[in-house]
Amino acid sequence: MAQDKIQVSETEFNQLLKKANLTLTSQENTQIHSQLNEAIDAIKVFDELDLKDVPALNQPIEDAHNTWREDVVEASLSQAEALSQSQSTHQGYFMVKAIFQNEDN
Amino acid sequence: MSDLNKLTVVEALKGLSNHDYSAVELTSACLDKIEKTEPTLNAFVTVLRDDALDAAKRADQLLKDKGSSKDKPLLGLPIALKDNFLTQGQRTTASSKVLDNYYPQYDATVTSKLRNAGAVILGKTNMDAWAHGSSTETSDYGPTKNPYSSSHLAGGSSGGSAAAVGTDEVIAAIGSETAGSIRQPASWCGVVGMKPTYGRVSRSGVIAMGSSLDSPGTITKTVSDAALLFSVIAGHDPLDATSSSSPVPNYYANLNPKLKGIRIGIPKEYYLSGAMKGINEMVFASAKLLEKLGVILFDISLLDPKYSIADYTIIQRSEVSSNLARYDGIRYGKARSFFGHEAKRRITLGTYALSSGYYDAYYKRAQQVRMLLMRDFAKAFAKVDLILAPTSPTTALKVGDTLNKAMFGELADVLVEASSLVGLTGMNLPIGFLHGLPVGMQLIAPQLCEQKVLNAAYAYELATNWRLNTL
């Protein structure tokens, strides 16, 4: 599918940043937006290849399959270990920003 | 200052086993060299001086009490780990300020294997932040310099490991490759870099970049060293769902330099007209040398590597955008505002390529191109056992040359991306110098054919000796 030079609009770029949970400075915004367009343009080279009926190869493993283990309790990190690297904990919980508020908050 | 740091893995293990010197003496020699060299080189993010000396003392006790143990094949050996390998209780940053204060609660599987084998971990080496790059210039802790020129770069993303080995700061090091991150810095630093088959070495506990690509491997002074270390770190791991169940051979014991009848393919598309003048000629000369050793050379054709640049960019950046979503500063690390420019660049394209409305045009098409690459290599390997090409189209670039480009890393790795996308094994071998900087060539083999690569490389190494130590 032939494509003209793709330009990601400013609105679309800002939506992308929201999806990616990224905040950019205004200088970064200009630079990275322009570089995004440049990188997308470089992908046009795919148009030269015949991909009709070619299946996708998601992993370079011939017989990729789900791998399971037995449903047996095994040793794991203690709660203290799991919490040890967080900068904000409360009574054994990781603290996160409130998602919604109710009358109690 | 002793010269014990200049030893190879094979030499050091023999000397330790014969009690020619102690593990503490060997470790101290490396630490002294690190202290002397680091102000210029910047190969390390964290030097684990006290931990290393403690581990060396414990190794000496074991060496004294029981001699070298078969179940501890690396007893007393000082090595370094790239800083994307988790080390329990020891700072691990992936060279990003996001993880500046991160002390992992567990070891990577590779780390455990090395510790259980008796290795002494000297420290964590510098890298492109999150392994995003081919220069080590995107590190948040400053670039790593080239062993042969302090105004040139070490390559990346395993630049710290490659430079540390190239300057004899360490006996050997561990790196990782997503596409080129072992082979390319090994080429720029004049050392042996072995990228295994995808799944041959466990990814568990390696900070993820591209999960369908990441391959931990070795950076060493010699091919024999690579073979020896490889058997220790390779193998199935229940913690890595994509790790291979194929048994791990004793690569070192099986080293065989007899090359008569081995078929090596020379793909014309990989000898770029735009490569730095002299590189292609040096690789052709090495091919001729291999021919004298009994190899049969074949001209072959592979898909133009320009397709693999685009393919790798989309697949890798898409997987990066997903893998880096976990860094939210809640369970560990700092906020996403601490990401560097390169990470933000890559996350942005990856998010775009995976978005609704664009997934089919970009990510899905890229996976189809990947299938074409797999079929292309399968066709080539029906005719030849190995493929030989330059590793990098240039020697080391100057400090500052790689910054703020839209796709520097992906363009620099043009000659290694296709083999990475298809999960093949490959090795960089030093073949000489051009204008004072190292040149490398790569041998590529089908999946799980590491022994073929090691054997051919070993034969070449025995017939030549390009490793100079000018520092």
Side-chain angles (χ1 to χ4, degrees), chain B residues 273-327:
Chain B
S273 57
M276 182 179 278
K277 191 165 160 46
I279 287 184
N280 291 340
E281 289 79 356
M282 286 175 73
V283 178
F284 281 135
S286 296
K288 286 296 177 190
L289 194 149
L290 285 165
E291 200 175 35
K292 288 202 178 99
L293 296 174
V295 146
I296 309 167
L297 297 177
F298 288 86
D299 287 329
I300 62 170
S301 183
L302 288 174
L303 258 176
D304 192 321
K306 71 178 182 183
Y307 299 115
S308 53
I309 295 175
D311 201 36
Y312 174 68
T313 301
I314 289 290
I315 292 173
Q316 167 255 133
R317 292 192 182 196
S318 297
E319 294 182 4
V320 157
S321 72
S322 174
N323 279 324
L324 266 57
R326 71 192 63 166
Y327 300 103

Short mmCIF file of all heavy atoms in Angstrom, two decimals, chain B residues 273-327:
data_model
loop_
_atom_site.label_atom_id
_atom_site.label_comp_id
_atom_site.label_asym_id
_atom_site.label_seq_id
_atom_site.Cartn_x
_atom_site.Cartn_y
_atom_site.Cartn_z
N SER B 273 28.51 -0.40 -0.53
CA SER B 273 29.37 0.53 -1.27
C SER B 273 29.67 1.76 -0.42
O SER B 273 30.69 2.41 -0.57
CB SER B 273 28.68 0.95 -2.58
OG SER B 273 27.43 1.52 -2.28
N GLY B 274 28.79 2.04 0.52
CA GLY B 274 29.00 3.21 1.37
C GLY B 274 29.78 2.92 2.64
O GLY B 274 29.98 3.83 3.47
N ALA B 275 30.25 1.71 2.81
CA ALA B 275 31.04 1.37 4.00
C ALA B 275 32.35 2.16 3.98
O ALA B 275 32.84 2.55 2.92
CB ALA B 275 31.34 -0.12 4.04
N MET B 276 32.91 2.37 5.15
CA MET B 276 34.19 3.06 5.26
C MET B 276 35.22 2.33 4.40
O MET B 276 35.32 1.09 4.44
CB MET B 276 34.62 3.07 6.72
CG MET B 276 35.91 3.82 6.99
SD MET B 276 36.31 3.78 8.74
CE MET B 276 35.30 5.10 9.35
N LYS B 277 35.99 3.11 3.63
CA LYS B 277 36.94 2.51 2.71
C LYS B 277 37.98 1.68 3.47
O LYS B 277 38.58 2.16 4.42
CB LYS B 277 37.65 3.63 1.92
CG LYS B 277 38.48 3.12 0.75
CD LYS B 277 38.85 4.25 -0.18
CE LYS B 277 40.04 3.90 -1.07
NZ LYS B 277 39.98 2.57 -1.69
N GLY B 278 38.13 0.44 3.03
CA GLY B 278 39.10 -0.45 3.67
C GLY B 278 38.44 -1.59 4.42
O GLY B 278 39.02 -2.68 4.54
N ILE B 279 37.23 -1.38 4.91
CA ILE B 279 36.58 -2.42 5.72
C ILE B 279 36.24 -3.65 4.87
O ILE B 279 36.60 -4.78 5.22
CB ILE B 279 35.32 -1.87 6.42
CG1 ILE B 279 35.75 -0.95 7.56
CG2 ILE B 279 34.44 -3.01 6.93
CD1 ILE B 279 34.64 -0.39 8.41
N ASN B 280 35.55 -3.44 3.76
CA ASN B 280 35.19 -4.57 2.91
C ASN B 280 36.44 -5.34 2.47
O ASN B 280 36.46 -6.57 2.48
CB ASN B 280 34.41 -4.11 1.68
CG ASN B 280 33.03 -3.59 2.02
OD1 ASN B 280 32.49 -3.89 3.09
ND2 ASN B 280 32.46 -2.81 1.12
N GLU B 281 37.48 -4.58 2.11
CA GLU B 281 38.72 -5.20 1.63
C GLU B 281 39.34 -6.08 2.72
O GLU B 281 39.81 -7.19 2.45
CB GLU B 281 39.73 -4.11 1.21
CG GLU B 281 39.36 -3.35 -0.06
CD GLU B 281 38.29 -2.27 0.13
OE1 GLU B 281 37.75 -2.14 1.26
OE2 GLU B 281 37.98 -1.56 -0.85
N MET B 282 39.31 -5.59 3.95
CA MET B 282 39.88 -6.38 5.05
C MET B 282 39.08 -7.65 5.29
O MET B 282 39.64 -8.72 5.57
CB MET B 282 39.90 -5.54 6.34
CG MET B 282 40.99 -4.48 6.33
SD MET B 282 40.94 -3.41 7.78
CE MET B 282 41.55 -4.49 9.04
N VAL B 283 37.75 -7.56 5.17
CA VAL B 283 36.92 -8.76 5.39
C VAL B 283 37.15 -9.76 4.24
O VAL B 283 37.24 -10.96 4.48
CB VAL B 283 35.44 -8.39 5.56
CG1 VAL B 283 34.58 -9.64 5.74
CG2 VAL B 283 35.25 -7.46 6.74
N PHE B 284 37.25 -9.24 3.01
CA PHE B 284 37.54 -10.14 1.87
C PHE B 284 38.87 -10.86 2.10
O PHE B 284 39.00 -12.05 1.82
CB PHE B 284 37.63 -9.35 0.56
CG PHE B 284 36.31 -8.99 -0.04
CD1 PHE B 284 36.08 -7.71 -0.52
CD2 PHE B 284 35.27 -9.92 -0.13
CE1 PHE B 284 34.84 -7.36 -1.07
CE2 PHE B 284 34.05 -9.58 -0.67
CZ PHE B 284 33.83 -8.29 -1.14
N ALA B 285 39.86 -10.12 2.59
CA ALA B 285 41.18 -10.72 2.84
C ALA B 285 41.07 -11.82 3.89
O ALA B 285 41.70 -12.88 3.79
CB ALA B 285 42.18 -9.65 3.28
N SER B 286 40.23 -11.59 4.91
CA SER B 286 40.02 -12.61 5.95
C SER B 286 39.32 -13.83 5.36
O SER B 286 39.62 -14.97 5.73
CB SER B 286 39.19 -12.03 7.09
OG SER B 286 39.90 -10.99 7.72
N ALA B 287 38.40 -13.58 4.43
CA ALA B 287 37.72 -14.70 3.76
C ALA B 287 38.73 -15.56 3.01
O ALA B 287 38.68 -16.79 3.03
CB ALA B 287 36.65 -14.16 2.81
N LYS B 288 39.67 -14.89 2.34
CA LYS B 288 40.71 -15.61 1.59
C LYS B 288 41.59 -16.43 2.54
O LYS B 288 42.01 -17.54 2.21
CB LYS B 288 41.58 -14.61 0.80
CG LYS B 288 40.87 -14.05 -0.42
CD LYS B 288 40.58 -15.15 -1.40
CE LYS B 288 39.79 -14.69 -2.61
NZ LYS B 288 39.33 -15.85 -3.41
N LEU B 289 41.84 -15.88 3.71
CA LEU B 289 42.64 -16.62 4.70
C LEU B 289 41.89 -17.87 5.13
O LEU B 289 42.46 -18.96 5.25
CB LEU B 289 42.93 -15.71 5.90
CG LEU B 289 44.01 -16.19 6.85
CD1 LEU B 289 44.72 -15.01 7.47
CD2 LEU B 289 43.44 -17.05 7.95
N LEU B 290 40.58 -17.73 5.36
CA LEU B 290 39.76 -18.89 5.74
C LEU B 290 39.77 -19.93 4.62
O LEU B 290 39.77 -21.14 4.87
CB LEU B 290 38.33 -18.44 6.05
CG LEU B 290 38.14 -17.73 7.41
CD1 LEU B 290 36.82 -17.01 7.47
CD2 LEU B 290 38.26 -18.72 8.57
N GLU B 291 39.79 -19.45 3.38
CA GLU B 291 39.85 -20.37 2.24
C GLU B 291 41.13 -21.19 2.29
O GLU B 291 41.13 -22.40 2.02
CB GLU B 291 39.78 -19.56 0.94
CG GLU B 291 39.34 -20.37 -0.26
CD GLU B 291 39.18 -19.49 -1.50
OE1 GLU B 291 39.95 -18.53 -1.68
OE2 GLU B 291 38.27 -19.79 -2.30
N LYS B 292 42.24 -20.53 2.64
CA LYS B 292 43.53 -21.24 2.77
C LYS B 292 43.46 -22.30 3.88
O LYS B 292 44.17 -23.29 3.85
CB LYS B 292 44.67 -20.28 3.10
CG LYS B 292 45.09 -19.39 1.98
CD LYS B 292 46.54 -18.87 2.20
CE LYS B 292 46.96 -18.01 1.03
NZ LYS B 292 46.83 -16.56 1.29
N LEU B 293 42.57 -22.06 4.87
CA LEU B 293 42.43 -23.02 5.97
C LEU B 293 41.48 -24.17 5.62
O LEU B 293 41.20 -25.03 6.45
CB LEU B 293 41.93 -22.30 7.24
CG LEU B 293 42.87 -21.25 7.83
CD1 LEU B 293 42.20 -20.51 8.98
CD2 LEU B 293 44.17 -21.88 8.30
N GLY B 294 40.94 -24.14 4.40
CA GLY B 294 40.13 -25.27 3.95
C GLY B 294 38.68 -24.97 3.65
O GLY B 294 37.93 -25.81 3.15
N VAL B 295 38.28 -23.72 3.95
CA VAL B 295 36.88 -23.35 3.73
C VAL B 295 36.59 -23.20 2.23
O VAL B 295 37.49 -22.87 1.45
CB VAL B 295 36.65 -22.00 4.47
CG1 VAL B 295 35.69 -21.10 3.77
CG2 VAL B 295 36.27 -22.24 5.91
N ILE B 296 35.35 -23.47 1.84
CA ILE B 296 34.95 -23.21 0.45
C ILE B 296 34.06 -21.97 0.47
O ILE B 296 33.06 -21.94 1.21
CB ILE B 296 34.15 -24.39 -0.14
CG1 ILE B 296 34.91 -25.70 0.09
CG2 ILE B 296 33.88 -24.17 -1.63
CD1 ILE B 296 34.08 -26.94 -0.17
N LEU B 297 34.45 -20.97 -0.30
CA LEU B 297 33.69 -19.72 -0.33
C LEU B 297 32.63 -19.77 -1.44
O LEU B 297 32.89 -20.27 -2.53
CB LEU B 297 34.62 -18.53 -0.58
CG LEU B 297 35.68 -18.26 0.48
CD1 LEU B 297 36.58 -17.10 0.06
CD2 LEU B 297 35.05 -17.96 1.84
N PHE B 298 31.45 -19.23 -1.14
CA PHE B 298 30.38 -19.15 -2.11
C PHE B 298 29.85 -17.72 -2.15
O PHE B 298 29.63 -17.12 -1.10
CB PHE B 298 29.20 -20.06 -1.70
CG PHE B 298 29.46 -21.52 -1.87
CD1 PHE B 298 30.09 -22.24 -0.86
CD2 PHE B 298 29.08 -22.19 -3.02
CE1 PHE B 298 30.33 -23.61 -1.00
CE2 PHE B 298 29.31 -23.55 -3.16
CZ PHE B 298 29.94 -24.25 -2.16
N ASP B 299 29.61 -17.23 -3.35
CA ASP B 299 28.90 -15.95 -3.47
C ASP B 299 27.42 -16.24 -3.27
O ASP B 299 26.87 -17.14 -3.91
CB ASP B 299 29.10 -15.34 -4.86
CG ASP B 299 30.51 -14.80 -5.03
OD1 ASP B 299 31.09 -14.35 -4.02
OD2 ASP B 299 31.03 -14.84 -6.16
N ILE B 300 26.80 -15.53 -2.35
CA ILE B 300 25.36 -15.71 -2.14
C ILE B 300 24.67 -14.35 -2.17
O ILE B 300 25.34 -13.31 -2.14
CB ILE B 300 25.03 -16.42 -0.81
CG1 ILE B 300 25.50 -15.59 0.39
CG2 ILE B 300 25.61 -17.83 -0.76
CD1 ILE B 300 24.99 -16.10 1.73
N SER B 301 23.36 -14.41 -2.23
CA SER B 301 22.58 -13.16 -2.23
C SER B 301 21.57 -13.22 -1.09
O SER B 301 20.93 -14.25 -0.87
CB SER B 301 21.86 -13.04 -3.58
OG SER B 301 21.16 -11.82 -3.62
N LEU B 302 21.49 -12.14 -0.35
CA LEU B 302 20.50 -12.02 0.72
C LEU B 302 19.63 -10.79 0.45
O LEU B 302 20.05 -9.88 -0.28
CB LEU B 302 21.18 -11.87 2.08
CG LEU B 302 21.88 -13.10 2.68
CD1 LEU B 302 22.61 -12.72 3.95
CD2 LEU B 302 20.89 -14.22 2.95
N LEU B 303 18.47 -10.74 1.06
CA LEU B 303 17.61 -9.55 0.96
C LEU B 303 18.41 -8.32 1.35
O LEU B 303 19.16 -8.35 2.34
CB LEU B 303 16.42 -9.68 1.92
CG LEU B 303 15.07 -10.08 1.34
CD1 LEU B 303 14.06 -10.24 2.45
CD2 LEU B 303 14.58 -9.07 0.31
N ASP B 304 18.23 -7.27 0.61
CA ASP B 304 18.94 -6.02 0.90
C ASP B 304 18.76 -5.64 2.37
O ASP B 304 17.62 -5.57 2.85
CB ASP B 304 18.38 -4.92 0.00
CG ASP B 304 19.24 -3.67 0.00
OD1 ASP B 304 19.77 -3.30 1.08
OD2 ASP B 304 19.38 -3.05 -1.06
N PRO B 305 19.85 -5.41 3.09
CA PRO B 305 19.71 -5.10 4.52
C PRO B 305 18.91 -3.82 4.81
O PRO B 305 18.52 -3.60 5.96
CB PRO B 305 21.15 -4.98 5.02
CG PRO B 305 22.01 -4.91 3.82
CD PRO B 305 21.27 -5.51 2.69
N LYS B 306 18.64 -3.00 3.79
CA LYS B 306 17.84 -1.78 4.03
C LYS B 306 16.46 -2.15 4.56
O LYS B 306 15.88 -1.40 5.36
CB LYS B 306 17.71 -0.93 2.76
CG LYS B 306 16.81 -1.51 1.69
CD LYS B 306 16.71 -0.57 0.48
CE LYS B 306 15.75 -1.17 -0.56
NZ LYS B 306 15.65 -0.38 -1.77
N TYR B 307 15.93 -3.31 4.17
CA TYR B 307 14.61 -3.71 4.67
C TYR B 307 14.66 -4.04 6.13
O TYR B 307 13.71 -3.81 6.88
CB TYR B 307 14.07 -4.90 3.87
CG TYR B 307 13.90 -4.61 2.40
CD1 TYR B 307 14.67 -5.27 1.44
CD2 TYR B 307 12.99 -3.65 1.96
CE1 TYR B 307 14.53 -4.99 0.09
CE2 TYR B 307 12.85 -3.36 0.61
CZ TYR B 307 13.63 -4.03 -0.32
OH TYR B 307 13.51 -3.74 -1.65
N SER B 308 15.79 -4.59 6.57
CA SER B 308 15.88 -4.96 7.98
C SER B 308 16.02 -3.74 8.89
O SER B 308 15.64 -3.79 10.06
CB SER B 308 16.99 -5.96 8.23
OG SER B 308 18.21 -5.51 7.72
N ILE B 309 16.52 -2.62 8.35
CA ILE B 309 16.58 -1.39 9.17
C ILE B 309 15.16 -0.99 9.56
O ILE B 309 14.84 -0.77 10.73
CB ILE B 309 17.25 -0.23 8.41
CG1 ILE B 309 18.71 -0.54 8.11
CG2 ILE B 309 17.13 1.06 9.22
CD1 ILE B 309 19.39 0.52 7.25
N ALA B 310 14.29 -0.89 8.53
CA ALA B 310 12.90 -0.49 8.79
C ALA B 310 12.19 -1.53 9.65
O ALA B 310 11.45 -1.20 10.58
CB ALA B 310 12.17 -0.31 7.47
N ASP B 311 12.45 -2.80 9.34
CA ASP B 311 11.79 -3.89 10.04
C ASP B 311 12.14 -3.87 11.53
O ASP B 311 11.29 -3.96 12.40
CB ASP B 311 12.20 -5.22 9.41
CG ASP B 311 11.23 -6.33 9.70
OD1 ASP B 311 10.01 -6.05 9.75
OD2 ASP B 311 11.66 -7.48 9.89
N TYR B 312 13.43 -3.76 11.79
CA TYR B 312 13.90 -3.74 13.17
C TYR B 312 13.41 -2.50 13.90
O TYR B 312 13.02 -2.56 15.08
CB TYR B 312 15.44 -3.81 13.20
CG TYR B 312 16.00 -3.66 14.58
CD1 TYR B 312 15.81 -4.65 15.55
CD2 TYR B 312 16.71 -2.51 14.95
CE1 TYR B 312 16.32 -4.50 16.83
CE2 TYR B 312 17.22 -2.36 16.23
CZ TYR B 312 17.02 -3.36 17.16
OH TYR B 312 17.51 -3.22 18.44
N THR B 313 13.39 -1.37 13.23
CA THR B 313 12.95 -0.13 13.87
C THR B 313 11.52 -0.28 14.37
O THR B 313 11.21 0.06 15.52
CB THR B 313 13.04 1.06 12.89
OG1 THR B 313 14.40 1.19 12.46
CG2 THR B 313 12.60 2.35 13.54
N ILE B 314 10.65 -0.79 13.53
CA ILE B 314 9.24 -0.92 13.92
C ILE B 314 9.07 -1.96 15.02
O ILE B 314 8.45 -1.70 16.05
CB ILE B 314 8.37 -1.31 12.71
CG1 ILE B 314 8.25 -0.12 11.77
CG2 ILE B 314 6.98 -1.77 13.16
CD1 ILE B 314 7.41 1.02 12.31
N ILE B 315 9.59 -3.17 14.81
CA ILE B 315 9.37 -4.25 15.78
C ILE B 315 10.01 -3.89 17.13
O ILE B 315 9.37 -4.00 18.18
CB ILE B 315 9.93 -5.58 15.23
CG1 ILE B 315 9.10 -6.05 14.05
CG2 ILE B 315 9.95 -6.65 16.33
CD1 ILE B 315 9.65 -7.27 13.32
N GLN B 316 11.23 -3.45 17.08
CA GLN B 316 11.95 -3.15 18.33
C GLN B 316 11.30 -2.00 19.08
O GLN B 316 11.06 -2.09 20.29
CB GLN B 316 13.42 -2.88 18.01
CG GLN B 316 14.25 -2.26 19.10
CD GLN B 316 14.51 -0.81 18.84
OE1 GLN B 316 14.36 0.03 19.74
NE2 GLN B 316 14.89 -0.44 17.65
N ARG B 317 10.99 -0.90 18.36
CA ARG B 317 10.42 0.25 19.06
C ARG B 317 9.01 -0.04 19.58
O ARG B 317 8.61 0.47 20.62
CB ARG B 317 10.45 1.50 18.17
CG ARG B 317 11.89 2.00 17.91
CD ARG B 317 11.96 3.36 17.29
NE ARG B 317 13.34 3.75 17.03
CZ ARG B 317 13.74 4.99 16.77
NH1 ARG B 317 12.87 5.98 16.74
NH2 ARG B 317 15.03 5.25 16.52
N SER B 318 8.29 -0.91 18.88
CA SER B 318 6.97 -1.31 19.38
C SER B 318 7.13 -2.09 20.68
O SER B 318 6.43 -1.82 21.67
CB SER B 318 6.25 -2.18 18.35
OG SER B 318 6.01 -1.45 17.16
N GLU B 319 8.04 -3.05 20.68
CA GLU B 319 8.26 -3.84 21.89
C GLU B 319 8.83 -2.98 23.02
O GLU B 319 8.50 -3.17 24.19
CB GLU B 319 9.15 -5.04 21.57
CG GLU B 319 8.46 -6.03 20.63
CD GLU B 319 9.28 -7.28 20.32
OE1 GLU B 319 10.37 -7.47 20.87
OE2 GLU B 319 8.80 -8.09 19.49
N VAL B 320 9.66 -2.03 22.69
CA VAL B 320 10.21 -1.09 23.68
C VAL B 320 9.08 -0.29 24.33
O VAL B 320 9.05 -0.13 25.55
CB VAL B 320 11.23 -0.12 23.01
CG1 VAL B 320 11.39 1.17 23.80
CG2 VAL B 320 12.57 -0.80 22.84
N SER B 321 8.14 0.19 23.51
CA SER B 321 7.05 1.02 24.06
C SER B 321 6.25 0.21 25.07
O SER B 321 5.81 0.73 26.09
CB SER B 321 6.15 1.57 22.95
OG SER B 321 5.35 0.56 22.39
N SER B 322 6.10 -1.09 24.79
CA SER B 322 5.37 -1.95 25.72
C SER B 322 6.21 -2.25 26.97
O SER B 322 5.74 -2.12 28.10
CB SER B 322 5.01 -3.25 24.99
OG SER B 322 4.42 -4.15 25.89
N ASN B 323 7.47 -2.61 26.77
CA ASN B 323 8.32 -2.97 27.90
C ASN B 323 8.61 -1.81 28.84
O ASN B 323 8.78 -2.00 30.04
CB ASN B 323 9.64 -3.58 27.40
CG ASN B 323 9.49 -5.04 27.03
OD1 ASN B 323 8.75 -5.77 27.69
ND2 ASN B 323 10.18 -5.47 25.99
N LEU B 324 8.69 -0.61 28.31
CA LEU B 324 9.00 0.52 29.17
C LEU B 324 7.77 1.12 29.83
O LEU B 324 7.87 2.07 30.62
CB LEU B 324 9.79 1.59 28.39
CG LEU B 324 11.32 1.48 28.51
CD1 LEU B 324 11.86 0.13 28.08
CD2 LEU B 324 12.01 2.60 27.76
N ALA B 325 6.59 0.55 29.52
CA ALA B 325 5.36 1.04 30.16
C ALA B 325 5.38 0.74 31.66
O ALA B 325 4.72 1.43 32.45
CB ALA B 325 4.14 0.41 29.50
N ARG B 326 6.14 -0.28 32.06
CA ARG B 326 6.16 -0.68 33.48
C ARG B 326 6.88 0.33 34.38
O ARG B 326 6.76 0.27 35.60
CB ARG B 326 6.81 -2.05 33.63
CG ARG B 326 8.31 -2.08 33.40
CD ARG B 326 8.85 -3.48 33.29
NE ARG B 326 8.27 -4.16 32.14
CZ ARG B 326 8.70 -5.28 31.60
NH1 ARG B 326 9.74 -5.88 32.12
NH2 ARG B 326 8.09 -5.82 30.57
N TYR B 327 7.65 1.23 33.79
CA TYR B 327 8.45 2.15 34.62
C TYR B 327 7.61 3.37 34.94
O TYR B 327 7.54 4.33 34.18
CB TYR B 327 9.78 2.52 33.92
CG TYR B 327 10.59 1.28 33.66
CD1 TYR B 327 10.65 0.71 32.40
CD2 TYR B 327 11.23 0.63 34.72
CE1 TYR B 327 11.35 -0.47 32.19
CE2 TYR B 327 11.92 -0.56 34.51
CZ TYR B 327 11.97 -1.10 33.24
OH TYR B 327 12.64 -2.28 33.04
#
